Amino acid sequence: MSSVYSAKTGLSSILKAYSPAERERAKNIAINKVRFEIPKQKGILDAVEAVNAHNNFQPLNEFVAFLKETEISDNEFSQIMSDAHKLIYDLSPKFTNMVEALISLPWTKRQPAALQAYTEFYIDIMVAHNKYVEFGIPKLISLWIPADADESMWPNGTPIDNVKIELDAIHHLLDRILTAIPMSFEVVLETIENKFPYFKKATHVIAGYVHNVLWLTEYKPIFTEFVMQLLIQKLVVLDVNAPRSEIEETECEEDEDLEEENEDQEIFEMDDCQKSSGINQKDDDLLPMKHAIAHTLDICMEKMFNFLDTRNPYALNVTAEQRLQLNKFWKVLLTAFDNVILPSHNTHHVQFLLFYHSSFKNTIAEAFLQSLWDKIKNPNVSAVIRQAAVGYIASFLARAKFLPLQVLKYYLKELCDWAHQYIQRCDQYRQNGSLKANIVFFSLCQAVFYVIAFRSRDLTADRKSLLFLQSLQLSAIVTCNFNPLRVCLPAVATAFAGVTRAYQLAYCHAILERNARRKLATVYANDTATPEETLDTFFPFDPYLLKMSEKKITPHYLQYQASEAEEASVVATHMSPLRQRKRGDSEMCDDIDDFIVADKRQKIMELARSQEREAQFTYGLSPGFHM
């Protein structure tokens, strides 16, 4: 009896909950009722009139619900936008909910007539009521961000044709808004920064957003300085979260067994990584990086390199006026470097934007070096920045294949002159010789040693060059009271010692031996292995590990080529039985292999056997250090 009564009265709904299917049907019925109650042609007109004439918001709220819940056809969309356009000046802030609902309607995939109707309404509502700019522009820029499921539409961060057409409409609309409403510039700046995807998002999401941000500078160059600084900041975040050691480990997993088998040959990790990461294998260029964040950085760096290509002031068919504008871009890039990259610790790839741009013309490279040198000389610049500038100038002089030899010699002379003046000044005042108190001096000395060792083939090619090296008075630097070799990275110190001994420029080995004995004495005296006082240094233009974008760097990048005379001296480090290389050693440990030419290893080993006894003592210290 109770079941019959329940069936008649519908009270059974109290006893059991709606299933999801029933809930969806109820929702659709409600939507259809709203749709039925609001005529397509007069819905917005009646809703606005009810508010203005009778302060009745019910029709307005129902119409907003209709916009949010209903799938609207192109014809209906065009009619609604046309009706809304007629009411532009009536849509004061009390109609904010409805205006936001209208602006939020999907529009990029619609027919041209519907696109036109939306565009005209969007522009006129923003011009008539500036309040809506703060909502409208973020809504527009959010359309730059690819959906997580749209990976196939963004191969390597570049939109396919259909997506590009949609984005073109978005950028065209933003261009018109920026032209019509100058105050919108600030909103755009804030929105671009706030909408930037999290660095762990999918590659196509981040690269797609970068693509659109760069697109903005094409029609509004006024944003270039802000965009470059913002993008470099975001790339630095990617860079420091993709450490060189992690990239090497991820890319070199297949080579570990091979390295263990070839321990006697001392094939260093860096060379192995270069081979496995595609630096010498074009067939691997299209394969993504195995490290997810490194892959994202790789795609973004290629986009940035391509963007720099369009900003080359020395490209063909560039007019004098265009060259003047493009030269201003170099100052923008250099400012971004000074503000973001130079103060950043442990970046490995972003700085190659400056390296690549400097390759366009020697005058750009010289301007970059001069900017670094000005910071090094300026005592009002913080010691941290000066030390970083020393690292950049040393690494650039060593690695830039495009740099003329006379420029290399000029800066070596400048560096050495500064070191000599510093030594004389400090001897006069008997200054404290600690590492911390003289960090810039020690960093600069190591830079000189590194550049001379790395570019020894060019700097010893003829008698004139050897006379130049002699004029640097390297022996005075090496033998000064500061003893700069004691704090140098062992790989740099031993390589420099090999070059100077081969060409009788200075005699470093006795100093290296004395330094080694002192360190051993300190350890045994305290009965503890105390940390050695060594420069915390990195060489920012060490080998580039990203597969896809490295093709932009390789033609301009110098790999080490040792001169015949010092090879036997350098190999002693590698032949020492006291030297045990571990996979966990820092990356600069690998960079020592830049001082050995692979195809000459056998000959070097034969030459070194006679020197092995001396090497056991002179080069016995492990070159495991941090960059």
Side-chain angles (χ1 to χ4, degrees), residues 50-51 105 130 159 276 340 383 519 525 535 560:
V51 173
L105 287 174
N130 288 341
S276 65
V340 183
K519 289 178 181 179
L535 276 170
Y560 179 75

Side-chain angles (χ1 to χ4, degrees), residues 516-560:
R517 285 195 296 270
R518 285 178 179 175
K519 289 178 181 179
L520 288 172
T522 301
V523 171
Y524 285 114
N526 298 328
D527 198 27
T528 56
T530 56
E532 297 175 359
E533 190 178 36
T534 305
L535 276 170
D536 182 14
T537 310
F538 84 114
F539 298 95
F541 298 115
D542 271 352
Y544 194 89
L545 301 182
L546 305 179
K547 292 179 182 177
M548 185 171 294
S549 53
E550 65 89 23
K551 61 181 176 288
K552 293 285 190 178
I553 299 301
T554 301
H556 313 292
Y557 191 77
L558 188 64
Q559 300 289 347
Y560 179 75

Side-chain angles (χ1 to χ4, degrees), residues 16-29:
K16 62 178 182 179
Y18 274 139
S19 67
E22 290 172 333
R23 190 177 297 110
E24 187 65 26
R25 281 197 297 272
K27 179 180 176 182
N28 291 334
I29 291 171

Side-chain angles (χ1 to χ4, degrees), residues 39-296:
K40 298 174 188 175
Q41 288 78 14
K42 297 184 179 180
I44 188 172
L45 301 175
D46 289 347
V48 173
E49 183 180 359
V51 173
N52 290 334
H54 308 290
N55 202 31
N56 179 11
F57 283 84
Q58 181 63 26
L60 180 69
N61 294 335
E62 291 178 349
F63 183 74
V64 171
F66 166 77
L67 293 176
K68 292 180 178 180
E69 301 291 345
T70 309
E71 186 174 339
I72 300 173
S73 68
D74 282 357
N75 290 335
E76 290 174 322
F77 183 90
S78 297
Q79 185 62 54
I80 291 171
M81 289 298 163
S82 179
D83 288 343
H85 194 271
K86 296 173 185 177
L87 302 169
I88 286 289
Y89 295 103
D90 292 329
L91 299 179
S92 60
K94 63 184 176 183
F95 294 99
T96 296
N97 288 342
M98 186 181 72
V99 171
E100 291 182 356
L102 289 168
I103 290 174
S104 301
L105 287 174
W107 62 279
T108 56
K109 300 181 186 296
R110 296 190 180 276
Q111 295 298 318
L115 285 174
Q116 181 66 20
Y118 180 88
T119 299
E120 296 306 321
F121 169 75
Y122 183 98
I123 293 172
D124 288 346
I125 194 68
M126 297 295 163
V127 172
H129 304 281
N130 288 341
K131 178 184 184 302
Y132 296 129
V133 168
E134 295 180 1
F135 170 80
I137 286 181
K139 196 67 183 177
L140 201 59
I141 291 177
S142 66
L143 298 175
W144 290 359
I145 307 174
D148 291 342
D150 290 346
E151 183 175 4
S152 61
M153 300 179 185
W154 287 87
N156 292 331
T158 302
I160 61 176
D161 290 342
N162 291 343
V163 177
K164 188 175 181 180
I165 292 172
E166 295 172 14
L167 289 169
D168 189 64
I170 296 168
H171 283 279
H172 180 67
L173 180 52
L174 183 59
D175 186 15
R176 292 182 62 180
I177 288 295
L178 288 167
T179 302
I181 311 173
M183 66 163 285
S184 62
F185 278 78
E186 290 296 328
V187 181
V188 170
L189 292 175
E190 183 179 353
T191 303
I192 290 174
E193 185 169 6
N194 292 340
K195 293 285 184 181
F196 210 99
Y198 183 55
F199 76 93
K200 289 187 177 180
K201 292 287 285 184
T203 295
H204 74 281
V205 174
I206 297 176
Y209 192 79
V210 169
H211 180 92
N212 281 295
V213 172
L214 291 173
W215 192 340
L216 172 66
T217 64
E218 293 182 10
Y219 55 88
K220 284 291 182 280
I222 193 173
F223 286 106
T224 301
E225 183 171 359
F226 169 80
V227 163
M228 290 307 299
Q229 188 142 320
L230 174 66
L231 290 181
I232 287 175
Q233 284 175 350
K234 300 303 181 181
L235 292 180
V236 164
V237 173
L238 289 170
D239 205 358
V240 298
N241 282 281
R244 180 181 293 271
S245 57
E246 286 187 14
I247 295 175
E248 290 172 359
E249 184 176 355
T250 306
E251 300 296 323
C252 299
E253 285 176 352
E254 297 177 359
D255 297 331
E256 285 186 5
D257 294 337
L258 179 62
E259 289 177 2
E260 291 175 1
E261 293 172 3
N262 295 326
E263 282 182 356
D264 291 339
Q265 298 180 25
E266 288 296 337
I267 300 178
F268 285 81
E269 294 170 28
M270 184 61 69
D271 280 352
D272 294 340
C273 283
Q274 289 173 1
K275 294 173 184 176
S276 65
S277 65
I279 200 165
N280 293 317
Q281 296 181 6
K282 295 182 180 179
D283 294 340
D284 290 341
D285 284 347
L286 299 179
L287 296 177
M289 302 288 293
K290 296 174 185 176
H291 192 286
I293 297 177
H295 176 56
T296 300

Side-chain angles (χ1 to χ4, degrees), residues 497-528:
V499 174
T500 54
R501 176 171 60 183
Y503 297 100
Q504 300 181 8
L505 300 170
Y507 296 96
C508 306
H509 294 90
I511 297 174
L512 291 177
E513 292 168 8
R514 185 171 67 250
N515 291 340
R517 285 195 296 270
R518 285 178 179 175
K519 289 178 181 179
L520 288 172
T522 301
V523 171
Y524 285 114
N526 298 328
D527 198 27
T528 56

Side-chain angles (χ1 to χ4, degrees), residues 43 50 61 361 392 426 496 540 543:
N61 294 335
K361 193 75 172 179
Y392 272 94
C426 293
F496 175 73

Side-chain angles (χ1 to χ4, degrees), residues 419-606:
H420 288 303
Q421 292 171 13
Y422 189 91
I423 293 168
Q424 293 171 4
R425 186 167 60 251
C426 293
D427 283 347
Q428 180 180 357
Y429 295 103
R430 298 182 179 180
Q431 184 169 326
N432 175 17
S434 70
L435 175 61
K436 184 176 181 180
N438 304 278
I439 190 70
V440 177
F441 169 77
F442 285 121
S443 298
L444 186 142
C445 290
Q446 179 174 254
V448 171
F449 302 158
Y450 175 73
V451 172
I452 289 175
F454 198 96
R455 298 297 299 268
S456 60
R457 179 174 289 252
D458 295 320
L459 292 170
T460 60
D462 51 41
R463 185 172 181 274
K464 183 178 179 182
S465 295
L466 286 171
L467 289 174
F468 165 76
L469 287 179
Q470 291 175 4
S471 72
L472 298 180
Q473 301 179 36
L474 297 173
S475 183
I477 297 175
V478 169
T479 59
C480 73
N481 290 333
F482 287 109
N483 186 10
L485 284 174
R486 71 183 167 88
V487 297
C488 282
L489 304 178
V492 175
T494 53
F496 175 73
V499 174
T500 54
R501 176 171 60 183
Y503 297 100
Q504 300 181 8
L505 300 170
Y507 296 96
C508 306
H509 294 90
I511 297 174
L512 291 177
E513 292 168 8
R514 185 171 67 250
N515 291 340
R517 285 195 296 270
R518 285 178 179 175
K519 289 178 181 179
L520 288 172
T522 301
V523 171
Y524 285 114
N526 298 328
D527 198 27
T528 56
T530 56
E532 297 175 359
E533 190 178 36
T534 305
L535 276 170
D536 182 14
T537 310
F538 84 114
F539 298 95
F541 298 115
D542 271 352
Y544 194 89
L545 301 182
L546 305 179
K547 292 179 182 177
M548 185 171 294
S549 53
E550 65 89 23
K551 61 181 176 288
K552 293 285 190 178
I553 299 301
T554 301
H556 313 292
Y557 191 77
L558 188 64
Q559 300 289 347
Y560 179 75
Q561 290 183 318
S563 59
E564 297 282 346
E566 87 251 18
E567 285 172 344
S569 296
V570 176
V571 77
T573 305
H574 299 265
M575 293 299 297
S576 172
L578 297 181
R579 184 186 183 282
Q580 299 294 329
R581 182 179 61 89
K582 298 183 178 62
R583 183 167 181 80
D585 286 348
S586 90
E587 57 267 23
M588 186 56 197
C589 183
D590 300 325
D591 195 49
I592 184 64
D593 199 45
D594 285 330
F595 298 114
I596 297 183
V597 181
D599 59 358
K600 297 181 179 178
R601 282 195 176 93
Q602 186 61 37
K603 183 180 71 172
I604 294 172
M605 289 179 181
E606 293 173 359

